[in-house]
Amino acid sequence: QASFGSFKEAARRADKTFPLTSGEINIDVGAHLQGLSQAQVKMDDPDLTCHIEISHQGVFVYTEKVPGPGGLPVGSNERAVSLLSSGIDSPVASYKIMKRGVQLSFVHFHSQPYTNKNSQRNTEELVNLLTRHQYKSTLYLVPFVEIQKQIMTIAPTGYRVILYRRYMFRIAESLAKSDGALALVTGENVGQVASQTLSNMRAIEEVTTLPILRPLAGDNKEEIIIDARKIGTYETSIEPYEDCCTVFVPKHPETRADLDKIREIEANLDIDELYEQTVAQTEVKQFTF
């Protein structure tokens, strides 16, 4: 006894060498199904639609369409590097860009031994989860603490986070160029934290020539959390961790950066050698799905 009272056939013939047309397939298969089920053929709003797709790879028969994420095939839109923390936002931002066909590598900045390894462990798990969507990934683990310490000795407290971020972007751009990547990706969201005001974003991105992709720029936090749950990164992102900015962040960071002042501060920093050492000491890990 059939579990449906009405049905229709919906054939599609991508392989035009197949001897029957779509209409002929519908008639033949429909008659066969009706004989087996005694169900009524109904073209509008049937209980069941039997889809048949005929391609060069074979014949596919199904009765249900499951919506996928949409987007473009992995790798169809070249490469980018995502600045990945172990928080909620940057994994969602990465996923959204991957969904547009961009192959991502990831860079994570840590302050060990001043922080524990939770941030690195969580980040590796996030990369492992994201790699399901692009099959293989590279993660760069950057030891950032010496640069932070040098900035802390010279810079006014309010400007430290902005300076940290400027050097992160410089390093990320260097890694991106060696990786053949054409853009950087961040989880920045306008106004969410002090470093993400428009003035500060402008000051931070001044140091790179690559475009900065910010897919979460206009999202509310609740929207980002919904997406994180949907892609399976939320539970990992809320695990306790110390990242390289939260440990060394001042209580009252600057929200409207003065570019001239930033350039003046950087002119007094002796970081060139530290920068080269940091890039040279970066650890590289590979992930496959």
Side-chain angles (χ1 to χ4, degrees), residues 30 47 56 98 210 235 239 270 279:
D47 296 333
H56 294 282
M98 292 162 69
L210 294 179
E235 294 301 327
E239 287 288 324
D270 184 18
V279 173

Side-chain angles (χ1 to χ4, degrees), residues 196-251:
Q196 294 175 15
T197 63
L198 295 181
S199 295
N200 288 1
M201 287 182 183
R202 173 173 172 262
I204 292 166
E205 71 178 23
E206 181 199 35
V207 301
T208 177
T209 59
L210 294 179
I212 312 299
L213 307 181
R214 298 182 176 96
L216 307 184
D219 287 3
N220 296 323
K221 192 67 176 185
E222 293 77 12
E223 295 173 306
I224 300 170
I225 289 173
I226 289 170
D227 286 338
R229 291 184 185 278
K230 189 185 302 182
I231 66 175
T233 58
Y234 179 76
E235 294 301 327
T236 301
S237 292
I238 62 173
E239 287 288 324
Y241 69 94
E242 298 172 317
D243 70 20
C244 63
C245 284
T246 56
V247 174
F248 296 100
V249 68
K251 290 183 178 180

Side-chain angles (χ1 to χ4, degrees), residues 73-74 98 103 130-137 287-289:
V74 173
M98 292 162 69
Q103 178 84 30
L130 291 168
T131 302
R132 294 180 300 179
H133 306 289
Q134 63 176 20
Y135 309 119
K136 60 181 180 179
S137 301
F287 295 77
T288 57
F289 176 63

Side-chain angles (χ1 to χ4, degrees), residues 74-75 78-80 94 98 101-106 124 126-140 179 284-289:
V74 173
E78 302 172 288
R79 300 183 62 84
S94 298
M98 292 162 69
V102 178
Q103 178 84 30
L104 289 186
S105 297
F106 303 93
E124 290 179 14
L126 289 169
V127 173
N128 196 46
L129 291 168
L130 291 168
T131 302
R132 294 180 300 179
H133 306 289
Q134 63 176 20
Y135 309 119
K136 60 181 180 179
S137 301
T138 300
L139 170 62
Y140 298 98
D179 206 36
V284 183
K285 291 196 171 186
Q286 302 294 338
F287 295 77
T288 57
F289 176 63

Side-chain angles (χ1 to χ4, degrees), residues 60-157:
F60 303 90
V61 181
Y62 56 95
T63 59
E64 181 183 6
K65 289 187 176 182
V66 179
L72 298 171
V74 173
S76 61
N77 260 329
E78 302 172 288
R79 300 183 62 84
V81 165
S82 178
L83 282 76
L84 189 70
S85 74
S86 53
I88 295 171
D89 298 346
S90 55
V92 175
S94 298
Y95 172 79
K96 287 191 171 186
I97 294 300
M98 292 162 69
K99 197 168 70 169
R100 302 309 304 159
V102 178
Q103 178 84 30
L104 289 186
S105 297
F106 303 93
V107 56
H108 176 72
F109 297 86
H110 65 83
S111 297
Q112 296 170 26
Y114 289 86
T115 60
N116 57 40
K117 289 192 174 184
N118 289 354
S119 176
Q120 180 177 326
R121 185 197 66 234
N122 292 358
T123 299
E124 290 179 14
E125 177 58 25
L126 289 169
V127 173
N128 196 46
L129 291 168
L130 291 168
T131 302
R132 294 180 300 179
H133 306 289
Q134 63 176 20
Y135 309 119
K136 60 181 180 179
S137 301
T138 300
L139 170 62
Y140 298 98
L141 296 165
V142 182
F144 198 60
V145 68
E146 294 303 324
I147 288 178
Q148 286 180 289
K149 287 163 62 178
Q150 178 66 17
I151 290 171
M152 289 175 66
T153 64
I154 298 293
T157 56

